[in-house]
């Protein structure tokens, strides 16, 4: 990952997203993955669900800081659904247990996405 690939937009300044690729490049990556798996008939992996949830979370953060709550509501709802999808994926594939877990509410799921994305970014920088 090069410095040019890093974002300077306000959503990326959220602590967990420092060092994240630009929102536009992440959207393109997600779209390419959808196209690739659609043509090959394979299932999306964890990296896809993580990066998709993270980019939608970043968009929601930006919307909330820019617009009135009713205007940003759809972006927040979309981010919550994507975050919940990552949690479900991890519960199914990696053994994440939701019983007694802190990952209960939609905001918990979004916080989980931020933590997991931050950990993923750290591994990419090694």
């Amino acid at each position: 990952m090069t410095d040019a690939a890093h974002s300077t937009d306000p959503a990326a300044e959220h602590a967990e997203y420092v060092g994240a690729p630009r929102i536009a490049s992440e959207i393109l990556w997600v779209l390419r993955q959808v196209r690739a798996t659609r043509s090959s008939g394979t299932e999306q992996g964890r990296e896809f669900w993580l990066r998709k949830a993270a980019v939608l979370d970043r968009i929601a953060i930006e919307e909330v800081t820019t617009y009135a709550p009713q205007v940003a509501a759809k972006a927040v709802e979309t981010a919550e659904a994507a975050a919940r999808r990552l949690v479900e994926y991890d519960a199914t594939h990696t053994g994440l247990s939701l019983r007694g877990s802190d990952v209960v509410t939609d905001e918990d799921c979004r916080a989980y996405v931020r933590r997991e994305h931050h950990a993923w970014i750290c591994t990419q920088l090694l």
Side-chain angles (χ1 to χ4, degrees), residues 33-54:
Q33 296 306 304
V34 168
R35 188 175 344 157
T37 56
R38 190 175 293 154
S39 65
S40 69
T42 59
E43 183 180 310
Q44 296 291 356
R46 184 177 195 271
E47 182 179 359
F48 171 81
W49 296 113
L50 174 61
R51 290 175 74 173
K52 179 179 179 181

Side-chain angles (χ1 to χ4, degrees), residues 2-126:
T2 65
D3 289 335
H6 294 91
S7 178
T8 58
D9 65 354
E13 296 308 315
H14 200 284
E16 290 86 350
Y17 293 124
V18 170
R22 291 182 186 188
I23 288 175
S25 62
E26 282 297 90
I27 291 169
L28 286 173
W29 184 89
V30 167
L31 291 173
R32 287 184 186 118
Q33 296 306 304
V34 168
R35 188 175 344 157
T37 56
R38 190 175 293 154
S39 65
S40 69
T42 59
E43 183 180 310
Q44 296 291 356
R46 184 177 195 271
E47 182 179 359
F48 171 81
W49 296 113
L50 174 61
R51 290 175 74 173
K52 179 179 179 181
V55 76
L56 292 171
D57 184 52
R58 290 170 62 198
I59 291 168
I61 290 168
E62 191 171 294
E63 293 273 318
V64 166
T65 61
T66 306
Y67 302 109
Q70 64 272 25
V71 176
K74 185 63 178 170
V76 170
E77 182 181 308
T78 302
E80 290 169 348
R84 180 79 52 191
R85 179 64 181 93
L86 173 66
V87 169
E88 290 168 1
Y89 181 91
D90 281 357
T92 301
H93 293 88
T94 67
L96 173 69
S97 173
L98 300 181
R99 186 180 312 250
S101 174
D102 291 336
V103 185
V104 178
T105 68
D106 289 333
E107 187 52 43
D108 294 338
C109 291
R110 288 181 65 196
Y112 177 78
V113 167
R114 293 175 194 139
R115 286 190 309 272
E116 294 298 304
H117 190 269
H118 179 74
W120 178 80
I121 282 291
C122 289
T123 64
Q124 301 303 301
L125 299 174
L126 296 178

